[in-house]
Amino acid sequence: MQRSPQQAGPESRTPPSAPSTTPTPAWAAADCSAAEPIGGLQEYYYELCMEKSQEIKPFILHILQEVDEEIEKGLVGITLNVAGNCHLMPVERVTGEDFWILCRILKNNPCINASIHLCFSGLDVRYNLISDVGASYAAKLLQKQHNLIYLNLMFNDIGPEGGELIAKALHKNTTLKHLRMTGNKIENKGGMFFAAMLQINSSLEKLDVGDCDLSVIAFATVLTQNQTIKGLNLNRPILYGEQEESTVHLGHMLKENQCLVELHMCKHDIKNCGMKQLCDALYLNRSLRYLDVSCNKITQDGMVCLADVLKSNTTLEVIDLSFNRIENAGANYLSDALASHNRTLKALSVVSNNIEGEGLVALSQSMKTNPTLSNIYIWGNKFDEATRVAYSDLIHMGRLKSDNTDVEPFVVDGHVYLAEVSNGLKRHFYWTPGYGEACSPSSNAGFTLVPVGQYL
């Protein structure tokens, strides 16, 4: 269970209802009885399902039993984690109807001891099927549950109408700090409501709207004035041409905004011209610490600009260049800047950049003279004997910790080889591993090195 500091808030006794555009299911029309359940949340869930003739989900019962145990220990700041992509046990995904019951459990109401609600600060229902019906209940929850600081709705088949309801609910919400809408196709219509919300809301610190089929121009415009958002995921927007409009607008935003700490621009079709636009902005920006430009079309020419920025920039701590094509020349530009000038960058990912031995060895040499660079990720490039020996030496001498890279050396017949390790800047950002921690520091090093908040 994830935990955060306890948040206080008033009780709410208003039952949820579906939006006017969505019919309210018959089972949700009636309020629950005023009788207080004998047991904890698990029994309360069972009673609600019986009352509404709703199917009881064993997975939800199991999760609520664990939460009951946490509450009995006196813990607060608990995140109710009902993620639909759990590999550790059979999962029947949560629907809009199931989500209504979860919202009733989380909201203050006369059916359950209100003090229990002070224990909750987060709700994670990623990879389920709550759709726009569930989004309407999420909006009601944001209006009524004033302890919630983290809400993860990613990949839940929420469309423009559901996005509008959630965005409008955040106009008055003053407690939510982190919202993940990633993978819900809210499109430009829903995106415009979220952009408008950022002009009003003053509590949200991190917003994920990647892969939502929207344009980022409205967000870039609003963020020139917004002084609250610290982390923003705008991965894979809808692009309308080859002129890199999104990069131009976001570059202008970075010149004006001095609050943004973390920016994800994966799959923006950024080329060298767009990279130059961003670098021009980074000369003026003094707040951005984590820049993600992975999965773009940046080559060695773009690295000339970035290396020049690194010679004077004193705020950037994490740069993700994964899945570009900087090659040996680009790696050499970066290694020169890191070896001789920059002393603030902590993590660099050059995964799958068509770099050969010369460039990879140069990056390893820069770590010997740069005491700050602690994390480097190189898998997916072209390793030769010199590369394998160089990184093996870094690890064995303790300069590069095994948890801070994605390779591990081993020896066969006297020759050193490198195996891939499941570490990275955001390796487990979108999925849950089959075993082990889903959010271990080594697999999400970017968020560990540049924390925006408890869940951010």
Side-chain angles (χ1 to χ4, degrees), residues 270-289:
I270 300 174
K271 305 178 185 67
N272 293 325
C273 181
M275 193 64 196
K276 184 179 185 305
Q277 294 277 352
L278 291 177
C279 289
D280 288 344
L282 292 173
Y283 285 113
L284 302 176
N285 184 281
R286 289 295 178 266
S287 66
L288 195 69
R289 296 168 57 197

Side-chain angles (χ1 to χ4, degrees), residues 185-196:
K185 307 306 181 182
I186 63 175
E187 303 176 351
N188 275 337
K189 178 183 177 182
M192 292 300 291
F193 284 106
F194 272 94

